[in-house]
Amino acid sequence: AGLERVAPGVYRFPLFSEAYCQTLVEYMDEWERRGLPIRRPNTMNAEGMVTNDVGLATLADDLLEAVVAPLARLLYADEPFAASLDHHHTFCVRYAVGGDETLAMHHDAAEVTLNVCLGSGAFAGGHLVFCGRLGDADHRAKAATLVHAAGTAVLHLGRHRHGVARLESGERVNLVLWARSSAFRAAAAFGRVP
């Protein structure tokens, strides 16, 4: 099982072993248990943490360099930022019944997003739902629903609208890397994006 196209511009592939996923979840759980400082990931998720702040920046740097950037050059070659992804905002999100159970449709503050399911035991529901890309005529039309599984990664453009269906039981933790391009963002700031 390799790279699978599940919708236009949305790809799924195996990335981590279940054992490695469990190790990452345990590491983040321990950080929370100790009461160490935590910065929440964004304005949409009340649970989770910015992983760069808790000793996982090297993992995210490696993912950007070895996985996200090469795949972006290959899969999104027509995008002006495809060859210039050079930094990231990486965080984990936690979905649990009684906590963050769902996430409304949105687009990311990223050029390319990598979303890796880490699991956290058995869970039901909480599927990823994709629509079209922001700016396209079909940006609100449902394109795909993906069942997440531990160790599986999903790659998509940041402007691809997506959300999370309600988690029915259990808990799911995901590692999310928002890949960004300094050159693209600087050009966009001055209205010079092709």
Side-chain angles (χ1 to χ4, degrees):
L3 186 68
E4 174 191 7
R5 181 180 177 263
V6 294
V10 181
Y11 301 90
R12 174 171 47 195
F13 55 95
L15 185 62
F16 296 149
S17 70
E18 287 190 32
Y20 187 67
C21 291
Q22 187 59 36
T23 298
L24 288 173
V25 170
E26 289 171 1
Y27 177 87
M28 291 181 278
D29 287 348
E30 183 63 21
W31 195 278
E32 292 242 18
R33 271 194 292 282
R34 290 180 180 256
L36 296 167
I38 294 172
R39 188 164 47 119
R40 297 301 178 197
N42 53 52
T43 58
M44 299 176 293
N45 297 96
E47 301 296 325
M49 66 181 67
V50 175
T51 55
N52 289 354
D53 296 350
V54 300
L56 296 174
T58 301
L59 169 64
D61 292 343
D62 291 347
L63 285 171
L64 177 61
E65 183 179 329
V67 178
V68 178
L71 284 174
R73 284 191 296 273
L74 175 70
L75 302 172
Y76 307 119
D78 58 333
E79 296 289 343
F81 50 76
S84 63
L85 298 174
D86 61 359
H87 67 285
H88 58 83
H89 173 60
T90 304
F91 53 93
C92 78
V93 291
R94 187 178 298 263
Y95 296 95
V97 175
D100 286 341
E101 295 179 357
T102 187
L103 186 61
M105 285 300 216
H106 64 283
H107 64 276
D108 296 334
E111 280 69 73
V112 176
T113 297
L114 177 75
N115 181 331
V116 186
C117 181
L118 301 179
S120 186
F123 62 89
H127 307 316
L128 289 177
V129 180
F130 283 90
C131 288
R133 297 176 187 178
L134 188 67
D136 290 353
D138 68 347
H139 75 278
R140 294 192 186 277
K142 185 176 171 184
T145 299
L146 304 178
V147 176
H148 240 336
T152 300
V154 175
L155 188 78
H156 61 88
L157 294 174
R159 71 176 184 271
H160 215 123
R161 289 177 44 81
H162 59 284
V164 176
R166 184 162 308 282
L167 187 75
E168 298 164 8
S169 65
E171 177 181 75
R172 190 184 89 206
V173 178
N174 286 64
L175 180 70
V176 179
L177 184 149
W178 285 352
R180 297 170 170 163
S181 165
S182 297
F184 177 76
R185 288 173 177 258
F190 292 98
R192 303 206 191 293
V193 176

